[in-house]
Amino acid sequence: MIAGSAISLFSDFAGVESGLFPVAQVGKWLPVFVTPLWVLSIGLLLGALVTAVVHGVLSALSFVPGLGNLADDPKRGVTLSLVAGAIFSAVLCYFYVPQGGENGQLLYLPLVTLGMILGFGLIYGMWHRTRSEWMSILGEGVIPYILSTLGLFAVIGLGSTPFVENPMAILESVPAVNLVGDGTVVEVATIAPSADPDIPEFLPAEITYNFRNVAELRIESDKRVFLADSDKAEAFSRAPIELNPGSTEAVTYKYEDREQPPIPGDPSKLHIYNQEIDPARVVFTFKNLPQIPQASSIVFSAIAFFLTLTGFMALRQAAPRVWALALSTAKNEMAQPLYLLLLAIGIFAVLLFGIFPFNTLGDDIRLLKDSGVTMIMVLGMLLAVWSAGTSVSDEIDGRTALTVLSKPVSRRSFILGKYTGIMLAVLVLFVILAAVLLVVMSYKPIYDARETSQQQPPWQVGHEEIITTLPILGLYFMETMAIGGIAVALATRLPLLANFITCFAIYVVGNLLSPLVASARENTELVGFVGKLIAVVVPNLNSFNVQAAVDAGNAIPLIYLAAAFNYLVVFVVAIWMVAMLLFEDRDLA
């Protein structure tokens, strides 16, 4: 069955090239397939342009006397970066923490992290050395692999522009994306009564709005008024809308209902007649959203690209010793045959899952998502544990670490550099396999519809599957970082095989920790104590596991990502301290 599906899929594409497959049929599913990829590609292109412009401006500022030399003194550079990061963090927290509602406190640490990236990026982006080393930054370590993968993905997406469904409408929706708030805008019009009570006088509302982006509208008034699209009765295109005072009498409108708007699209045509003798206060509450909501992914993809590249630059310039160790470790691990083997297994598995008939009566996409992200995470963990054994244990046993530490490199920098390098290698693996998975996810709804003879879905379905997959990949990468931290800490004392067994045991127990603690509450005090003790010693990896949400088809809220990030930071700091305790008195001679 799998072979038949693969042959069918191959014959479709082969038929296109040979002219045997009907062009009209290709025109039906190809735009649905490529439009989600095109949207993300536009986001990557926008991110590259923003990065080039911002860092181009910072490079120009490096010529200003004093600014370009701020980071010449490492202590001064770090101090100023922390100050700038604190300012950025305060601004971000001011705007975004209130949006988290009762869980807004969970956003503090992620926002402070982003602020620090911007702070270090600002100070070290203006450094004269950064200006002259940008080509080296882009061409060393893991950055070329990540940029090449994203570049190939963008080329595929942008190359499909002729087949994209309504690309201009998507691009026109980008400016309406709300970076702060939910798009709610309140406009108030104060309307004077008519000079002659017997003659209705429609006065201009004098408010501004762009109805192209209005998703919801609510109009309230404290007086009885009439809304019209002209100041003269003979020019009305429809009868004026009556609005009485009181919240229950408010006029509401939703774009999704496809009803006629209560006000004209041109704000200059909106006129209001106040029937009472006192001035009327008419409140318009607009909720502005992009007409095509999927355009939001363009903006957020661009922001993610900018922050990632800025973070790499800041780490390289602010911590050169850690970066040098990380760079050496990542290059060494990526040159191993195991790395290529894991990469090949991952690509083959993801492609296989795309055509595998799960026979779930309509839930094949969810199983593809679950199987794909789990496979990527397992391969990443194998690489992390293996790399910890080869780059830490073997170097300590082979006395290579002694040679490294004989240079001006502290044991703290050695452990931090090794961990960073291992996770950079894992990040490249995640990025490559995730790119393949996203392409498969974009085509999977079309493939399933054709296999089951159902109506072809719109391109928004594939886009939604892609967007809901990205947070899951982020959570599983966090889980891999947690296991990688444990592996590096244990590698300071244990050989590779013992490290593998211990990490596997911790992974199993960590994912069973939540139900274990919950069940321990209903048993004896001794059982409860043991369960709580395990919860203190073993990380709760179940915090990163969202398989239940994937199976139910629920999206992962951003506030949950923030909570998982908080837990990861606390755990990684704790395990790094344990690693330092284990490594501090280790005899390397």
Side-chain angles (χ1 to χ4, degrees), residues 61-76:
L61 291 175
S62 67
F63 289 100
V64 177
L67 293 180
N69 301 321
L70 288 176
D72 284 346
D73 183 358
K75 292 184 179 180
R76 182 177 59 187

Side-chain angles (χ1 to χ4, degrees), residues 114-177:
L114 295 179
M116 289 301 165
I117 292 176
L118 294 175
F120 277 83
L122 173 64
I123 299 301
Y124 284 92
M126 293 189 299
W127 197 17
H128 64 91
R129 285 188 56 182
T130 303
R131 183 188 70 236
S132 60
E133 294 176 358
W134 258 114
M135 296 308 297
S136 299
I137 295 173
L138 298 177
E140 68 182 10
V142 301
I143 298 179
Y145 296 96
I146 296 177
L147 292 181
S148 299
T149 303
L150 298 180
L152 179 60
F153 186 92
V155 167
I156 295 174
L158 295 176
S160 61
T161 302
F163 306 100
V164 174
E165 292 188 15
N166 203 359
M168 290 307 300
I170 299 175
L171 295 177
E172 290 174 356
S173 299
V174 172
V177 175

